[in-house]
Structures are given as structure tokens and as C-alpha cells.
Amino acid sequence: MLGGSVYIALIRFTISLAGVILFFSLMSESKYGRKKTIICYGCFGTFLIAAACIWYAIDWQSCARMVAFMMYICFMVFSVCMSRDQLYLSIYKLALTFYLLAVFLIGGIEVSILFFDRNVWADIITRIVLITVMALFINKKVKSSIRGFSFYVENELDKFSAAVMIISLLFGIGFILNPNITVQTPYRLLQIVMNFFLTGALQLLVFRLYIHIGKEKEYQQENQLMQLNHRLLERNMELLEESVESGKRIRHDVRHHNALIAEYVHRGQIKELLQYIEEYNKMTDVSSIEKICNNSAVNNILSAYATKARREQIKVTLDIEQTKDLGIPNIDLVTIIANAYENAIYGCMEVKKQSKDRECSIHLMLKKKKNKLVIYCSNTCRLEVEIKNGKPKPEATGGIGVLSILKTAEKFDGEYDFKNDNGIFVFRLIMNIPQVLEG
């Protein structure tokens, strides 16, 4: 601090607190509406600045040493309550905000000392300029990335890594803002610059690392969707091949059928002819696609996977909503159902490899209840199948489907859970049906 009257201290406190609120607001979304957020921060800032000014008037020396830390601690507690991010993610953003606070605080003081003979107005103007430049840069270049980074960190970053990053930030800033160092030397200035550079470079590397990890996970999800589409095409090809083979048989045998019918008519054996036609109709009905529900897309995919499951000698129980319009787009429904069914078949096949005598079964339910769509799928699985962070490990599902299911479910505010109930793997999902689609 460069000293000055309470009025000067008031201006400094106001600028610094406004800068901190601005930086944090750009990096983090509030859990409240814009108007309420502004009112809350305004009331909080007014109270905090008034308290800081009173402290400055009573003992300006202790205030000069500790006010930045104390104000920021109060801001930290308040902003965590205001942010919709998880706790450790909010703390990390606060550490980044603290880093930016150190930049404009030290920047203003050093510019004033080195170039303007400790002029307080030079310090204030420098702070305003630095805050403006950094805020514009964050808003135009970093805002969308850092909020996307928040999504990646929230899903990929473990709490230990977050703690290490936060501690590295705070140690670096704590060294820079050490109130016991009062002598300004070229070496001290070099230390400050290098510390800012190294701390900032570390955070930039971490930022880019988790952006890369997050995008890599998105690529994996896209790859899973491609594999799903490939498998769906395979199932459709199987159905098509079966239909073609059935058609070939019918065309091949049509001459014999016609000759036999003509012979029945010629002999006047009408009763025998009707019996033959009835048997023929039953045979053609068996070869047609199984009717499971009234939604053709869901019916086709369920029929294809049910055929595959039965070939693997897996007992299948289906409890499917008969409504044609299920409220969720067919492409999303097929993504979820096909992945769940595929994973269930994979789990049963793994059980058969482990114990051929164990009976395997799949139970799939799809029900529409008011504005909710409920999907339930259970299948026989290995007893040692583990659930980690609320999701099955990739080896439990063959590495296919879970991420695609969750990504699709998020579009409809889906709530899900997975569990291994003593050798029965259970997947449950509840999705909100969009009103515009519910019709």
C-alpha cells in the first residue's frame, strides 16, 4: 500500500473488490438470476468496503498489510455460496481470481513506485487499466473456454489434482504479496515477474491439459456413437437378410404352392385346401418381424437385439410402452435402448464364459408416465462387476455405450443410476419429456 487518506483507501478498495467480482463472474455462473446476483454482490461489497475503511481509519498500518487477504477471504466465502459450481471447482476459480487480483495490485503499486514517485493516483489508474484489459481479454478470448474447461474439470479432475493446483497458486501469490518485504530492489522486482510468469504458465498448462482431456473424451463418445451406428446397421442388415432369404424361399416354392392349390381345386378338396392355406399363413407370420410395440423404430431395434439374445440362449423379458409417440426423438431413444441392450447381452455372455451352467436373462422396461419416460434394464452379470463414481467400469460393458447413454440422457435432464445387485446388473433412467414434443 502507498498510504493516503480514507477517501483514497475507499477508492482503492472499491476498484479492487469490483475487479475481483468482475473476474469471478466472468469465469463462474451464479446460481441466481442476473438481477438478484447484482443486488447480492452490491450489498456484500458495500458492507465489506465500509468495514475495510473503518479498519483503515483505526490502524492503517495493519490494514495495509492484511486487508487484501481479509477482504478476499470474505469474498471467497460469499462467492462460493453464490456460484453454481461444485465446491472444489469454485475454490480453483477463486484461486485464479486471486492470481489476477495479485497482478493488478502489484502492477499498480510497482508502476507507481518505479515511474511516478509513489503517486497514489498512478496506482489507482494503473489498477483500472489492468482490470479493464484483463476483463476484456477474458470476456472475448477465455470466457467460453474456461466455462467449457469447468465442465471438463468437473467431470475429469480428481480432487487431489485440484487441491495441488490451488495450493500452487496460493503459494505463488502468497510469496508475491508477502507484507514483510518492504525493500524494493531490482532483484525483488525480478522475483515478482518470474513468480507471476511461472505461476501463470503452470495454470495455462493445466488449463490446456484438461481441455485436451475433455475433448479426447468427447472424441471417445463420438467414436462410441459411430460404433453404435455400425452395430445398428449390422442388426438391420441381419433383419434385411432374413427377409430376403424368406422372400427367396417363398418365390422358390410358389410354383409348388400354386400346383398344389390347383390340384386341390381340381379334385374339389376345399376343406383340405383351406387347412393348407391356414398352415401357410402361420408359417409366413412366424417369419415376419416380431411386433413388440407401436413405435416402429423402437420395435425394430428391440426385435433385432431380442433375436440376437435368444441366439445366445439368453432369456428376454420385455415390458414396453405401446404408445406410438413416446415423446423423445427416435434417434435418442434408439441410442439409449440399443446401448443398454447391447451392454446387457455383453454382460450375459461374459457370465456364460465364466459359468456355462448359470442361467442368463435380460429384463427391459420402457414406460411413459405423465411427463416422464422411464427406462429400466437388468441383466445377469458377474458378481465382481464394480461401479465407480456411479458408473460401471468399461470392462463391465465391453467399453461401449455408457457414455453415449449419459450424454443423450443429459439432453432431457435425465436422472440415472447403475448398480450390481448380487449378480444382477441394474440400469435405471428417468427422462423429462419436452413439452414441445409431448404434443
Side-chain angles (χ1 to χ4, degrees), residues 197-253:
F197 173 77
L198 293 175
T199 305
L202 173 63
Q203 301 310 308
L204 178 62
L205 288 174
V206 172
F207 178 85
R208 293 182 64 84
L209 171 64
Y210 280 96
I211 287 286
H212 174 76
I213 292 174
K215 288 183 177 179
E216 186 69 24
K217 185 58 68 68
E218 288 183 347
Y219 294 149
Q220 291 178 11
Q221 294 175 358
E222 291 176 1
N223 183 50
Q224 287 191 358
L225 287 174
M226 290 176 64
Q227 292 184 47
L228 170 65
N229 290 333
H230 177 72
R231 295 191 178 202
L232 291 178
L233 286 172
E234 286 182 341
R235 302 295 168 258
N236 287 329
M237 288 297 294
E238 290 174 4
L239 291 174
L240 180 60
E241 288 175 1
E242 290 177 1
S243 299
V244 170
E245 289 299 322
S246 177
K248 285 181 178 179
R249 284 196 310 271
I250 293 173
R251 286 193 298 272
H252 180 267
D253 295 338

Side-chain angles (χ1 to χ4, degrees), residues 79-268:
S79 58
V80 165
C81 298
M82 294 289 292
S83 176
R84 67 169 56 180
D85 295 325
Q86 295 184 10
L87 177 61
Y88 69 92
L89 185 57
S90 294
I91 293 175
Y92 176 66
K93 289 184 178 181
L94 284 165
L96 285 176
T97 304
F98 198 10
Y99 174 78
L100 298 175
L101 167 68
V103 170
F104 69 75
L105 280 182
I106 298 300
I109 292 173
E110 294 298 329
V111 167
S112 177
I113 292 174
L114 293 175
F115 302 107
F116 296 97
D117 193 27
R118 296 179 177 270
N119 186 285
V120 294
W121 293 107
D123 173 32
I124 291 171
I125 293 172
T126 303
R127 292 186 188 190
I128 295 174
V129 171
L130 289 174
I131 291 171
T132 303
V133 170
M134 289 189 291
L136 289 174
F137 179 78
I138 292 173
N139 188 54
K140 291 186 177 181
K141 302 292 185 180
V142 183
K143 181 178 178 180
S144 59
S145 297
I146 203 166
R147 289 188 176 180
F149 168 74
S150 300
F151 172 78
Y152 298 142
V153 169
E154 197 167 315
N155 287 273
E156 307 297 337
L157 183 64
D158 60 282
K159 295 181 181 179
F160 175 77
S161 300
V164 170
M165 291 195 302
I166 293 167
I167 291 171
S168 68
L169 266 173
L170 296 180
F171 272 142
I173 298 166
F175 173 79
I176 295 168
L177 296 178
N178 187 349
N180 295 320
I181 299 177
T182 57
V183 179
Q184 297 295 330
T185 64
Y187 179 71
R188 165 65 176 162
L189 182 61
L190 178 62
Q191 283 183 316
I192 291 174
V193 172
M194 290 305 299
N195 204 304
F196 270 130
F197 173 77
L198 293 175
T199 305
L202 173 63
Q203 301 310 308
L204 178 62
L205 288 174
V206 172
F207 178 85
R208 293 182 64 84
L209 171 64
Y210 280 96
I211 287 286
H212 174 76
I213 292 174
K215 288 183 177 179
E216 186 69 24
K217 185 58 68 68
E218 288 183 347
Y219 294 149
Q220 291 178 11
Q221 294 175 358
E222 291 176 1
N223 183 50
Q224 287 191 358
L225 287 174
M226 290 176 64
Q227 292 184 47
L228 170 65
N229 290 333
H230 177 72
R231 295 191 178 202
L232 291 178
L233 286 172
E234 286 182 341
R235 302 295 168 258
N236 287 329
M237 288 297 294
E238 290 174 4
L239 291 174
L240 180 60
E241 288 175 1
E242 290 177 1
S243 299
V244 170
E245 289 299 322
S246 177
K248 285 181 178 179
R249 284 196 310 271
I250 293 173
R251 286 193 298 272
H252 180 267
D253 295 338
V254 69
R255 290 177 300 158
H256 304 292
H257 294 306
N258 288 340
L260 187 57
I261 290 171
E263 185 65 22
Y264 277 130
V265 173
H266 179 71
R267 294 184 178 185

Side-chain angles (χ1 to χ4, degrees), residues 8 93 187 262 285 376 389 399 415 418:
I8 296 297
K93 289 184 178 181
Y187 179 71
D285 288 340
Y376 171 93
N389 297 326
E415 298 181 7
F418 300 88

Side-chain angles (χ1 to χ4, degrees), residues 34-54:
R34 184 175 182 181
K35 183 177 180 180
K36 185 175 180 179
T37 300
I38 292 173
I39 293 173
C40 290
Y41 273 120
C43 295
F44 166 77
T46 302
F47 173 79
L48 192 61
I49 290 170
C53 289
I54 293 172

Side-chain angles (χ1 to χ4, degrees), residues 139-412:
N139 188 54
K140 291 186 177 181
K141 302 292 185 180
V142 183
K143 181 178 178 180
S144 59
S145 297
I146 203 166
R147 289 188 176 180
F149 168 74
S150 300
F151 172 78
Y152 298 142
V153 169
E154 197 167 315
N155 287 273
E156 307 297 337
L157 183 64
D158 60 282
K159 295 181 181 179
F160 175 77
S161 300
V164 170
M165 291 195 302
I166 293 167
I167 291 171
S168 68
L169 266 173
L170 296 180
F171 272 142
I173 298 166
F175 173 79
I176 295 168
L177 296 178
N178 187 349
N180 295 320
I181 299 177
T182 57
V183 179
Q184 297 295 330
T185 64
Y187 179 71
R188 165 65 176 162
L189 182 61
L190 178 62
Q191 283 183 316
I192 291 174
V193 172
M194 290 305 299
N195 204 304
F196 270 130
F197 173 77
L198 293 175
T199 305
L202 173 63
Q203 301 310 308
L204 178 62
L205 288 174
V206 172
F207 178 85
R208 293 182 64 84
L209 171 64
Y210 280 96
I211 287 286
H212 174 76
I213 292 174
K215 288 183 177 179
E216 186 69 24
K217 185 58 68 68
E218 288 183 347
Y219 294 149
Q220 291 178 11
Q221 294 175 358
E222 291 176 1
N223 183 50
Q224 287 191 358
L225 287 174
M226 290 176 64
Q227 292 184 47
L228 170 65
N229 290 333
H230 177 72
R231 295 191 178 202
L232 291 178
L233 286 172
E234 286 182 341
R235 302 295 168 258
N236 287 329
M237 288 297 294
E238 290 174 4
L239 291 174
L240 180 60
E241 288 175 1
E242 290 177 1
S243 299
V244 170
E245 289 299 322
S246 177
K248 285 181 178 179
R249 284 196 310 271
I250 293 173
R251 286 193 298 272
H252 180 267
D253 295 338
V254 69
R255 290 177 300 158
H256 304 292
H257 294 306
N258 288 340
L260 187 57
I261 290 171
E263 185 65 22
Y264 277 130
V265 173
H266 179 71
R267 294 184 178 185
Q269 296 175 323
I270 304 302
K271 183 177 179 180
E272 288 80 357
L273 174 60
L274 292 175
Q275 183 179 356
Y276 174 75
I277 291 174
E278 183 179 351
E279 291 175 356
Y280 180 76
N281 288 335
K282 287 181 180 179
M283 183 185 70
T284 55
D285 288 340
V286 169
S287 63
S288 63
I289 295 177
E290 183 181 1
K291 179 66 179 295
I292 299 173
C293 72
N294 294 322
N295 184 299
S296 58
V298 175
N299 186 82
N300 289 339
I301 197 63
L302 289 176
S303 178
Y305 277 103
T307 301
K308 180 181 178 182
R310 290 176 184 130
R311 284 175 183 169
E312 299 293 338
Q313 297 182 337
I314 301 170
K315 181 181 178 182
V316 176
T317 303
L318 298 175
D319 183 10
I320 307 300
E321 177 73 39
Q322 292 301 311
T323 305
K324 185 176 182 180
D325 182 11
L326 294 168
I328 303 292
N330 286 336
I331 185 66
D332 296 311
L333 269 179
V334 168
T335 297
I336 295 171
I337 294 171
N339 274 300
Y341 218 149
E342 185 85 33
N343 293 342
I345 293 174
Y346 176 86
C348 290
M349 292 173 65
E350 288 297 299
V351 170
K352 286 184 173 293
K353 291 179 183 178
Q354 188 181 59
S355 175
K356 294 183 179 180
D357 297 332
R358 190 176 170 193
E359 184 179 353
C360 293
S361 62
I362 296 173
H363 178 204
L364 180 65
M365 182 187 75
L366 177 66
K367 290 293 181 182
K368 185 178 180 182
K369 298 182 179 180
K370 296 183 180 179
N371 65 331
K372 304 285 186 181
L373 188 68
V374 181
I375 298 176
Y376 171 93
C377 183
S378 65
N379 62 273
T380 310
C381 70
R382 292 184 173 185
L383 294 172
E384 59 269 22
V385 169
E386 294 183 18
I387 308 295
K388 185 177 181 182
N389 297 326
K391 304 171 188 175
K393 291 185 176 181
E395 56 267 25
T397 60
I400 299 296
V402 173
L403 289 177
S404 298
I405 291 174
L406 303 186
K407 193 71 175 178
T408 305
E410 286 175 2
K411 295 165 59 176
F412 306 96

